[in-house]
Amino acid sequence: MVDLVFPVRGGSVPTDHAYPLYGALSGAVPAFHDAQQSLRFAPLTGVRDEAGRLRLAPWSRLRVRLPAEAIPNVLPLAGRALDVAGARVALGAPSVEALVPAPALESWLVTFKHGEEPAAFLATTRARLTELGVAGEPAVRAFESGPRAGEVRRRVVRVSGAAIVGYALLVSGLTAEESIRLQERGLGGRTKIGCGFFLPAREAK
């Protein structure tokens, strides 16, 4: 598995843009919609503002995780302009990045059925990590500053009008093998729309 990383240009998109982005990507490359394809993406990176928008910056990227042999299937995205919730998002020429093992990984949002409360969420997380053969220690991320400092990062992604609740998750104490396995496999539900997508903790947005 590798990451295909596209530069992104545009104005702003909703902070909660995972599902509209999934729709736009599936329209351009139908393999994104195919449940049999090992093809996942992370939400766009950018600067969050108080109006529920994500402003795209010169360093904004779209990161697609896929088997190396599937790269040709996704290359039609290069130079493509997508409509993401009414916003025009232009993709540049991608670069290929290998997955890098790191002792701590972070996901912007992990969801589980019946995992809306932190205690239940962590219990399910530990069980799912064990099933993957990953012995790392999970922790729900908290806001580090601002009026919500110390509160857990409870997040919501909307799919066809339904609100899916989850949490920002940090998994630490990973071996190199466990780290790569978790990045390759992901965790939880809704992984086709960007949930459960892990990056080394210092890189996760």
Side-chain angles (χ1 to χ4, degrees):
M1 299 288 283
V2 298
D3 282 354
L4 199 58
V5 184
F6 295 83
V8 177
R9 300 191 311 276
S12 69
V13 297
T15 301
D16 180 10
H17 65 269
Y19 189 63
L21 178 58
Y22 169 67
L25 291 172
S26 298
V29 177
F32 278 98
H33 187 67
D34 187 347
Q36 303 303 315
Q37 298 289 325
S38 299
L39 194 63
R40 297 184 291 119
F41 66 90
L44 303 175
T45 56
V47 181
R48 297 170 182 264
D49 64 27
E50 296 179 356
R53 304 288 295 182
L54 183 81
R55 290 187 288 107
L56 300 180
W59 46 265
S60 291
R61 296 290 185 270
L62 167 68
R63 184 176 293 268
V64 178
R65 188 159 292 168
L66 73 174
E69 61 270 20
I71 289 175
N73 298 337
V74 182
L75 288 180
L77 289 176
R80 187 76 175 255
L82 304 177
D83 182 326
V84 181
R88 185 179 185 275
V89 173
L91 305 181
S95 59
V96 179
E97 296 183 4
L99 301 186
V100 177
L105 298 177
E106 186 172 22
S107 176
W108 74 286
L109 173 63
V110 174
T111 70
F112 296 110
K113 189 174 183 180
H114 307 306
E116 291 83 1
E117 297 302 322
F121 174 83
L122 281 174
T124 302
T125 297
R126 289 189 175 93
R128 297 294 181 269
L129 288 174
T130 298
E131 291 173 1
L132 285 178
V134 174
E137 179 59 31
V140 173
R141 297 292 273 171
F143 291 96
E144 298 176 359
S145 60
R148 299 181 64 186
E151 294 182 20
V152 296
R153 289 186 179 179
R154 182 178 185 271
R155 288 178 170 164
V156 174
V157 61
R158 289 172 177 80
V159 178
S160 299
I164 310 300
V165 176
Y167 294 88
L169 181 69
L170 176 72
V171 182
S172 57
L174 297 167
T175 66
E177 181 182 356
E178 290 170 341
S179 182
I180 293 297
R181 186 181 306 134
L182 186 53
Q183 290 180 72
E184 289 183 338
R185 297 285 296 277
L187 192 69
R190 309 293 181 178
T191 56
K192 295 293 284 185
I193 62 167
C195 299
F197 191 108
F198 284 87
L199 290 167
R202 58 184 171 80
E203 298 177 15
K205 301 296 182 183

